[in-house]
Amino acid sequence: MTPLVRLDGVGFAYPNAAPGRTRFEIRDLSFAVAPGEVLGLIGPNAAGKTTVIHLLSKVLTPSRGEIFVEGEPLRSLGRAEVARRVAVVPQDVAPGFPYTVGELVLMGRFAHAPGRFFESAADARVAREAMRLTGVETLAGETLGRLSGGERQRVVLARALAQEPRLLLLDEPTAHMDLRYQAECVGLLRRLNREQGLGILLVSHDLNMAAELSDRLLLMSGGAAVTMGTPEEVLQESTLERVYGCRVVVDKHPATRRPTVNVAWPDR
Amino acid sequence: MTTSLRALAFCLLLFPGSAWGLEVVDQTGRALTLLAPPRRIVSLVPSVTEILFAIGAQDALAGVTDFCDFPSEAKRKPSVGGMINPSLEALVTLKPDLVVATRSGNRAETFDQLKRLRLPVYLVDPISVDDVMRLVTALGELTGHRDGAAAVTGDLERRIKAVEERVAGRPRPRTLYVLWPDPLIVPGRDALVSELIARAGGESVTTDQGAGYPRMSLEAAVARAPEVIILASHGGGTPVGRDKWERLESLPAVKSKRLYTADGSVMHRYGPRVVDGIESLARLIHPEAFVK
Amino acid sequence: MTGPKKLLAVCAGLALVLGLVALLSLLVGSARVAPGAIVDLVMGRGPVEGTERVVILGIRLPRIAAAALAGGALAVAGAGFQALTRNPLAEPSILGVSAGAAFGVVLAQISGLGQGLVEALGLTAFAFAGALVAGVSVYVIAATGRGLPVHTLLLAGVIVGIFFSAAITVLISLVDTNRLGGVIHWLLGNLAPIPAGALGVFAAVTALGVWLVLGKARALNLLALGEEGAQELGVDAERLKRRIFAGSALLTGAVVAFVGPIGFVGLIVPHALRMLVGPDNRVLIPAAVLGGGVFLLAADTLARTVVAPAELSVGVITSFCGAPFFIYLLRSRAGRVMP
């Protein structure tokens, strides 16, 4: 079965880095995401996680290696083609002008008919459905400034869903969010994954949330893959302590039995 | 000769029935053809307005600008606005058969617009006193007031000659004419005022500063050690900066108290009053020549 | 489908307003012409000769056309720059193009490069040359191997604008006092009747510029999410930026070339319209074409009637009238300005 995305020996360096700073790199990264799989990308800061998202959405181009989307090389696909298959849900969106929620979600339809001046009735239907799925259809006439952080995130998610992608790339979807939103978010993503067969690549600092949602985890550090496998396989105390540089205790979630990572707070 | 008068058979052939066809060359060398002596002239140049009144052609003057303030009857003529931004509509409504304009003072765009509206434009560009005389004569030819023009030029020539005789042979004091004090603007080469000073028996210290009315640094002006300083006033009142000059006590002009004021409007218009300018300058520069 | 319907409604409304303003403008002026005569002349009836014909068809109508065209061009250029830079306060002059064009014209006026050459080529050619030099300079300064970063574009534009403004000041300080008035008058921004041939060229260039911006209005909306955000949605951001820059610069250069530098229109009109019709460029840009025309035409009508027969510079009117209007709009619809 053709993987949804496959990275093959990918390396990346920023061309114009500040002098004196080592050029950031992704070094020899190879992995694949199967259709309908949820892959969690975890690791300390500057591990290269966000860069992976940019490489997969073709915002950045790899310096070495090749990326394949549904078997086709990414470099041969046009931007609109990429956007039809891969949708990014960034951490936050702050449009420079006061577009309404409805307008923003409709923007997700651009890649399907870039030549059209106005969106079609079919586009409007898809957008409405996306808003329904994320529970923001009543906010269609509002501007982002009036919404809470959680609502804004759901709008961005709706826009990504409107792209009708095969793969969703999420960058820190629950950062700065309260518990209720975190729970809603996990539930929503899980539903989308199960009901729509949507592949998900999730970047998060929240190891427990990633462990809960992901089929597999990829642990990165310093631009390279450290280990990849099921949450149980990856979230080992010795591995985490080596990569994160602090003591942790790995336990099991009382309800779901998934591994939970707890920091051993110092100097008690 | 800047005006050529020819009854062209060509004109007569082209416009059967017209007994008067005039081809005129204006002061910039452009030729224009008029079918009849102009009866409705719009003057965009204050000095031309003055000349037209002086030669007795004011009845042919249909419109003037806001700046045409001499003689006072000129202010009663309908105005078309400023020299730089006259209203085309107002101009056209006056139904002129000739518009007189100048290259220095009116804009080229105005001239283009008038051409586009097919209004005959007569451009004037006087630089010297002789040009003024020629302009008076040309306007006299144009409006059929040759006698009036001749009277004016005759009178002007007589007065100029009188002044020149009075100041002839006298030593020429170094003269500084201040058109504007700050920034210091002085008459240079080709400026009318430079010629007026020369005719009035003075030697302008600024003729080498460039063409027209260029700027000059105060230091350079002071370095010329002028013996006579004339400050131009523009519309009554003491000119700005007189005290500034009075403080330069080392200057010969200040030491001998030869710091004068002159009426600028008379010196800068290319009209009959330039002679008033020459006369007043001569009285300032050579007061001893006018003692009765 | 609210998009097309909204576009139609907005355009119809603004076209009506433009028509009314144009009609009013046709009826007033330094010369008195009876409304009946005006209607006759516009309809093609009426005397073949005569002052009224010249005033209405030779002076007022071309001036109205020039005002409507210039206002629309400036408003679209402003909307384009604002979307390109993601800054609602961007203005056509911010990219240095109008300063470059103005420099070209001032240079031509002052040096009177062999009178024949100036007359033949016309000041428009000099203005376009200046606009081109400025636009290309900005582009070359700002463009890197990876594309056209917006913040560098803004800086480069400001620098180029300052350079040409300084150059203009140098020229002004050297010019003969007699010519100074004319140059300064031009720099204030004035509308004058343009001959039919030139008006046709102006209209064609404006149409091209508007097409460049309007044709990509949908993608331009996505640019509000940032270049990365737009790219993630399938937009070729670099090509889009180049096209919008070219279109807006072309429009700005054309206005300066044919009419002169008129400020404020490109800043206020798109901003005010955005408050009224929303930020969707597919509606905003067509609205700007019409709304800009309304604004500048109204301002120019005021400029030529308020102190008749003398005339004020239209740039003076746009500044004086635009600011209070903008303040009122800002206060009454504060929520719609920023997200």
Side-chain angles (χ1 to χ4, degrees):
Chain A
M1 192 168 50
T2 333
L4 201 43
V5 288
R6 182 162 71 86
L7 273 74
D8 198 1
V10 168
F12 178 79
Y14 282 107
N16 315 304
R21 278 179 66 179
T22 42
R23 287 202 312 182
F24 186 89
E25 284 188 5
I26 297 237
R27 288 169 284 154
D28 200 16
L29 194 59
S30 302
F31 68 88
V33 178
E37 177 180 19
V38 181
L39 178 67
L41 208 53
I42 55 174
N45 288 337
K49 312 191 294 292
T50 306
T51 312
V52 170
I53 288 195
H54 288 149
L55 285 167
L56 285 172
S57 63
K58 211 174 172 177
V59 167
L60 295 174
T61 315
S63 326
R64 283 198 296 277
E66 192 84 56
I67 301 179
F68 296 89
V69 174
E70 293 184 311
E72 296 179 60
L74 190 60
R75 68 174 81 243
S76 73
L77 295 176
R79 281 210 190 280
E81 276 213 75
V82 175
R84 286 199 284 275
R85 306 174 197 217
V86 175
V88 178
V89 183
Q91 274 195 51
D92 197 10
V93 67
F97 298 101
Y99 290 99
T100 62
V101 164
E103 287 170 330
L104 286 167
V105 174
L106 262 179
M107 286 185 189
R109 297 301 303 162
F110 179 80
H112 284 270
R116 287 188 65 103
F117 195 68
F118 281 111
E119 294 87 2
S120 64
D123 287 328
R125 265 200 308 276
V126 172
R128 267 199 303 276
E129 178 61 18
M131 286 195 280
R132 192 190 63 77
L133 274 172
T134 54
V136 295
E137 73 268 31
T138 49
L139 303 172
E142 301 285 336
T143 51
L144 285 192
R146 306 263 192 96
L147 304 183
S148 68
E151 287 169 331
R152 279 217 295 275
Q153 264 298 61
R154 279 186 281 154
V155 169
V156 181
L157 182 57
R159 191 191 72 207
L161 293 177
Q163 287 175 251
E164 293 183 312
R166 243 82 67 159
L167 174 66
L168 209 57
L169 303 173
L170 294 124
D171 195 352
E172 303 287 354
T174 56
H176 314 304
M177 294 306 146
D178 62 27
L179 291 178
R180 174 178 153 182
Y181 172 71
Q182 289 186 33
E184 280 181 7
C185 186
V186 169
L188 176 56
L189 288 173
R190 214 207 295 278
R191 271 201 311 278
L192 289 169
N193 173 246
R194 294 220 182 107
E195 292 168 10
Q196 319 244 331
L198 202 51
I200 295 179
L201 189 141
L202 169 68
V203 166
S204 184
H205 272 303
D206 188 338
L207 299 179
N208 298 329
M209 196 264 298
E212 175 58 32
L213 198 51
S214 310
D215 299 319
R216 282 189 303 157
L217 288 177
L218 169 59
L219 175 62
M220 286 180 69
S221 176
V226 172
T227 179
M228 186 164 173
T230 63
E232 288 75 13
E233 289 165 2
V234 171
L235 297 177
Q236 303 277 341
E237 278 179 18
S238 52
T239 324
L240 292 173
E241 284 177 7
R242 197 184 62 219
V243 169
Y244 280 94
C246 72
R247 306 243 341 263
V248 299
V249 175
V250 177
D251 215 331
K252 279 213 185 311
H253 191 280
T256 70
R257 309 316 296 170
R258 291 254 177 167
T260 58
V261 179
N262 304 288
V263 178
W265 301 109
D267 299 331
R268 240 192 159 272
Chain B
M1 287 289 282
T2 57
T3 312
S4 64
L5 176 63
R6 281 174 294 192
L8 296 170
F10 167 77
C11 265
L12 290 173
L13 280 174
L14 222 43
F15 308 102
S18 81
W20 195 96
L22 179 63
E23 184 175 298
V24 173
V25 178
D26 69 18
Q27 287 203 320
T28 62
R30 284 175 54 254
L32 41 146
T33 311
L34 299 171
L35 300 179
R39 288 268 165 270
R40 299 186 59 76
I41 302 177
V42 168
S43 163
L44 296 180
V45 192
S47 54
V48 168
T49 306
E50 283 190 34
I51 294 176
L52 288 173
F53 270 90
I55 65 176
Q58 61 266 38
D59 290 334
L61 191 57
V64 297
T65 70
D66 290 336
F67 295 97
C68 297
D69 54 1
F70 190 91
S72 51
E73 293 90 350
K75 294 196 245 191
R76 288 202 284 268
K77 292 278 184 182
S79 169
V80 297
M83 286 179 73
I84 294 185
N85 54 349
S87 161
L88 288 175
E89 283 189 19
L91 215 156
V92 164
T93 313
L94 291 172
K95 299 205 216 306
D97 47 22
L98 185 68
V99 179
V100 183
T102 171
R103 269 211 296 234
S104 49
N106 301 127
R107 289 190 305 140
E109 285 81 47
T110 310
F111 170 56
D112 286 338
Q113 294 285 4
L114 294 171
K115 239 183 14 179
R116 192 177 63 81
L117 295 169
R118 287 200 274 274
L119 291 171
V121 179
Y122 186 92
L123 285 179
V124 306
D125 194 16
I127 299 178
S128 65
V129 174
D130 286 339
D131 285 340
V132 175
M133 300 298 181
R134 282 192 273 268
L135 181 57
V136 173
T137 311
L139 288 173
E141 299 274 6
L142 209 51
T143 57
H145 281 82
R146 281 194 214 95
D147 298 335
V152 169
T153 52
D155 177 53
L156 296 181
E157 276 163 3
R158 208 173 37 247
R159 287 165 60 190
I160 294 177
K161 197 143 164 277
V163 167
E164 285 177 339
E165 277 169 4
R166 280 195 195 250
V167 302
R170 295 176 189 273
R172 293 172 163 269
R174 290 190 301 281
T175 311
L176 172 70
Y177 184 94
V178 177
L179 177 71
W180 194 263
D182 195 12
L184 179 59
I185 299 184
V186 296
R189 200 180 63 235
D190 294 341
L192 182 65
V193 172
S194 300
E195 188 188 339
L196 299 185
I197 293 173
R199 288 193 187 246
E203 187 191 310
S204 169
V205 297
T206 58
T207 46
D208 60 339
Q209 288 302 304
Y213 292 88
R215 287 158 66 151
M216 188 181 186
S217 73
L218 185 59
E219 285 177 21
V222 166
R224 306 283 165 104
E227 294 163 306
V228 175
I229 299 179
I230 301 174
L231 304 169
S233 73
H234 306 270
T238 330
V240 176
R242 190 185 173 108
D243 27 325
K244 184 177 79 169
W245 290 96
E246 279 168 352
R247 265 178 291 183
L248 300 169
E249 290 162 0
S250 60
L251 286 181
V254 178
K255 273 199 271 203
S256 49
K257 297 207 189 309
R258 301 200 69 189
L259 189 66
Y260 306 118
T261 313
D263 182 3
S265 63
V266 170
M267 314 280 178
H268 310 142
R269 282 212 190 150
Y270 296 87
R273 291 188 293 159
V274 290
V275 178
D276 295 353
I278 297 178
E279 285 173 350
S280 62
L281 281 176
R283 281 177 198 275
L284 295 176
I285 297 175
H286 291 287
E288 69 283 3
F290 291 86
V291 173
K292 288 283 191 255
Chain C
M1 191 63 48
T2 53
K5 278 206 215 115
K6 187 173 182 185
L7 174 61
L8 219 60
V10 166
C11 284
L14 283 173
L16 187 66
V17 175
L18 183 60
L20 287 173
V21 175
L23 191 63
L24 182 70
S25 185
L26 209 50
L27 291 170
V28 301
S30 306
R32 292 181 167 233
V33 185
I38 296 179
V39 173
D40 280 341
L41 283 163
V42 170
M43 293 298 199
R45 304 190 293 262
V48 188
E49 287 287 333
T51 329
E52 299 191 331
R53 187 187 183 81
V54 175
V55 167
I56 297 299
L57 296 183
I59 299 179
R60 263 186 222 174
L61 208 50
R63 183 159 169 165
I64 290 173
L69 215 48
L74 285 173
V76 172
F81 280 139
Q82 285 171 10
L84 176 68
T85 57
R86 285 192 292 290
N87 187 338
L89 296 177
E91 224 240 305
S93 63
I94 221 171
L95 287 196
V97 170
S98 50
F103 175 75
V105 174
V106 172
L107 189 65
Q109 282 178 338
I110 285 181
S111 49
L113 300 162
Q115 287 288 65
L117 183 66
V118 173
E119 281 186 64
L121 289 185
L123 293 175
T124 50
F126 278 92
F128 264 120
L132 191 67
V133 169
V136 168
S137 309
V138 169
Y139 189 84
V140 164
I141 292 174
T144 65
R146 283 190 297 158
L148 199 62
V150 161
H151 56 275
T152 328
L153 192 68
L154 280 169
L155 280 176
V158 170
I159 291 169
V160 170
I162 290 178
F163 171 77
F164 278 113
S165 296
I168 291 176
T169 312
V170 168
L171 287 182
I172 287 181
S173 69
L174 296 175
V175 80
D176 181 27
T177 344
N178 276 326
R179 309 256 215 119
L180 191 60
V183 172
I184 297 211
H185 179 255
W186 184 85
L187 283 171
L188 288 177
N190 290 273
L191 281 162
I194 303 180
L199 201 61
V201 177
F202 187 20
V205 175
T206 300
L208 175 62
V210 170
W211 173 77
L212 281 174
V213 178
L214 183 61
K216 288 288 170 190
R218 186 179 177 200
L220 202 53
N221 287 340
L222 273 63
L223 204 56
L225 303 168
E227 279 137 51
E228 267 178 25
Q231 282 172 330
E232 287 165 356
L233 290 173
V235 175
D236 187 340
E238 290 306 316
R239 252 176 82 187
L240 177 66
K241 285 193 294 188
R242 280 198 297 270
R243 176 171 164 152
I244 300 300
F245 177 72
S248 298
L250 183 66
L251 287 167
T252 311
V255 172
V256 179
F258 286 100
V259 167
I262 298 181
F264 219 61
V265 179
L267 172 64
I268 287 303
V269 174
H271 204 105
L273 283 176
R274 196 176 292 112
M275 289 191 215
L276 294 170
V277 305
D280 188 344
N281 287 304
R282 293 169 293 188
V283 178
L284 183 66
I285 305 278
V289 173
L290 297 167
V294 168
F295 181 67
L296 195 58
L297 184 54
D300 188 49
T301 307
L302 219 66
R304 64 181 175 84
T305 50
V306 134
V307 286
E311 296 186 350
L312 289 177
S313 298
V314 69
V316 169
I317 301 282
T318 56
S319 308
F320 267 119
C321 294
F325 172 73
F326 180 57
I327 291 172
Y328 159 74
L329 217 48
L330 197 63
R331 294 191 72 91
S332 68
R333 282 175 160 270
R336 291 274 268 171
V337 178
M338 300 283 190

